Structure formats: C-alpha cells, structure tokens
Amino acid sequence: MAESRVVIVTGGGTGIGAATARQLRAAGHRVVVSGRRPEPLREIAEETGALAHPADAADPDAVEGLVAAAVEAYGRLDGVVLNAGVGRPGAVGDVSVEDWETVLTTNLTGPFHLLRAALPHLLETRGSVVAVASVSALRNGMGNAAYATSKAALLQLCRSVAVDYGARGVRANTVCPTWVRTEMADRRMAMFADAAGLGTGAEGVDAAYEEATRLIPAGRTGRPEEVAEAISWLLSPAASYVNGATLTVDGGVTAVDPGTTAFRFHIEPRD
C-alpha cells in the first residue's frame, strides 16, 4: 500500500465530496470531511472511519479550526480537496447582490481562506490541492453568471498556488465536471423540469437530466465516483509532475463544437 496521507475534503457529506472520502479511506488514507451540515458528515464518518468536522467553508475562523483539527488528530496535512460550493441562477442583470456575494464567498473566498490556513502544513509535507470547479469555468451557459464566474476564478486561484509554491513541492490542480448526479445537481434539474414542463418529482428530474445531457458524447450524466477517481489520482504521487492542470471530467462535452450539433439534433428556443 502507498504511504497513508492526511486529506481534508470540504463539502464531504454528499456527492463528489462523499465519494472522494470513500475512495481515499478505501485506499488507507486518513480523511477529515467538512461541511455545514453535521448529519451527512456523521453518516460518512460512521461509514468510512473518516473524521467529521462541521465547518462553514466561507468562515475564516471555521477553516482555521478545520485545519487545526486535522493536524491535531493526525499530526500532519498532505492534501486538501476544495469541493464545497453553492449555485444561484441568474444573468448579470437578474442575479441579486446577495446571491452573487453568497456564491463568490462560498466558491472562491472560502477556498482562499482554507488554502491560507493549509499552506504552511502542505509546504512541510510537499502536499497537494485539488479544487472541484466545473465545465462552467471553461464554457458558460445562460443564467449562470455568479456560478461560472466563481468557478473560473477558482481555477486561477489554484494555478496561482501551483505557480507560487510549485518549486517548494506543493501541487494544485483542478477538475471540471459536467452534470453529475448529486444533491445540488438534482435541485437544479428539478427547477429545470418545472420550468420546461418535463414533470415533477423523480420522474421530472430524470427527464431533465436526459435532456440536459443529450449533447454529451458519453450520452449520460457522470457519477460522483468517476470524479472522485480523478481527484484521488491528482492527489497521489502518480500525478507528481501534474501541477496547475485543469482536468475535464465531462464525458467529452467540452470537445463538442456547438455549431455542428444541428446536424444531429433539432434545436430551437424554449420561449
């Protein structure tokens, strides 16, 4: 077995964060899962043996306490997975200032605070950072101003760590998933299903996913475990010369030329 590492995973109670915690624990690593909701963290901790530490990723004092708890429990810190995030829909002219600030604070400023707290320890261990961004960091969609901006900026935040600290052994990379079946994505799909008249409940969510992923070459949504595999690899020594990289985990959607989709699909505005 490879040497056991200590990794903090934010947003670790559900979705991609929970899947990452499971994979890291299965590989023998020590994991601290964090998030705002204690109950999902407790469930993952009981399932995997991870350490649960509830904390709001947007609170500087809370993330200082998170790093301190990880180091106190395990004596070191080797990796950080910046996975906590929120989304609020709206174009620039529609999104409220409150929603804009919530998204930017959680998705960008929170990771900044956590990186500042973690860096002294990561420099000691020549550790690794992986941020979970989104294909929205690379391609934009309608009504997505705050989320896309926050994820694009998160990508550059990680590149800054790679450039500034790479010579001292710290690596920082980003994964960019497309639609993955998570609680957050399910909520967005429920909104889409309602607006598009695709149905309600689980049936509507399934129909929304089917329509939203129709142009993805893989022909389906991603699974949290598939993104977790990419994160686990980037954290590992197997990726020792990968730094400042952006890895799309998107079923090939960013390879598609939108101008050619009409050759296969009939596309028209909804309103």
Side-chain angles (χ1 to χ4, degrees):
M1 180 188 299
E3 180 183 358
S4 177
R5 299 186 298 278
V6 178
V7 181
I8 290 173
V9 181
T10 66
T14 60
I16 292 169
T20 300
R22 292 186 184 101
Q23 289 200 17
L24 292 172
R25 285 295 300 144
H29 303 299
R30 292 164 289 181
V31 177
V32 181
V33 288
S34 184
R36 287 178 292 183
R37 295 183 295 160
E39 184 59 26
L41 298 176
R42 182 188 64 79
E43 292 174 0
I44 290 296
E46 291 179 353
E47 174 191 341
T48 66
L51 173 65
H53 186 92
D56 183 348
D59 182 340
D61 292 334
V63 298
E64 288 273 2
L66 169 61
V67 171
V71 173
E72 180 179 355
Y74 299 120
R76 59 186 289 151
L77 179 61
D78 300 272
V80 174
V81 179
L82 302 168
N83 176 64
V86 298
R88 298 288 188 274
V92 170
D94 302 321
V95 66
S96 69
V97 172
E98 180 183 5
D99 282 350
W100 173 271
E101 291 178 348
T102 294
V103 173
L104 269 291
T105 297
T106 302
N107 295 1
L108 179 61
T109 306
F112 166 75
H113 288 307
L114 181 50
L115 288 170
R116 282 175 62 87
L119 268 168
H121 306 284
L122 296 176
L123 286 166
E124 287 183 7
T125 59
R126 301 176 72 84
S128 180
V129 175
V130 179
V132 180
S134 166
V135 295
S136 293
L138 308 171
R139 307 283 190 273
N140 215 327
M142 298 182 69
N144 202 30
Y147 185 77
T149 299
S150 71
K151 292 300 188 179
L154 178 62
L155 188 156
Q156 290 294 0
L157 177 64
C158 282
R159 285 178 174 165
S160 294
V161 172
V163 170
D164 291 333
Y165 299 98
R168 299 170 66 182
V170 175
R171 296 183 300 109
N173 297 289
T174 310
V175 296
C176 289
T178 186
W179 291 115
V180 176
R181 290 295 300 245
T182 65
E183 284 187 5
M184 182 175 171
D186 283 354
R187 290 193 295 270
R188 183 66 183 89
M189 285 298 168
M191 294 170 58
F192 172 39
D194 181 61
L198 299 175
T200 60
E203 182 178 336
V205 169
D206 288 343
Y209 273 118
E210 181 178 353
E211 185 154 347
T213 59
R214 194 164 291 159
L215 300 183
I216 297 177
R220 62 175 175 84
T221 59
R223 298 187 298 273
E225 294 77 16
E226 291 173 309
V227 184
E229 288 281 4
I231 294 168
S232 299
W233 177 73
L234 287 170
L235 288 170
S236 77
S240 59
Y241 201 55
V242 181
N243 195 20
T246 301
L247 176 60
T248 55
V249 188
D250 65 356
V253 70
T254 51
V256 174
D257 175 4
T260 68
T261 55
F263 298 146
R264 184 174 179 187
F265 297 97
H266 176 70
I267 301 169
E268 60 186 17
R270 291 189 177 277
D271 50 28

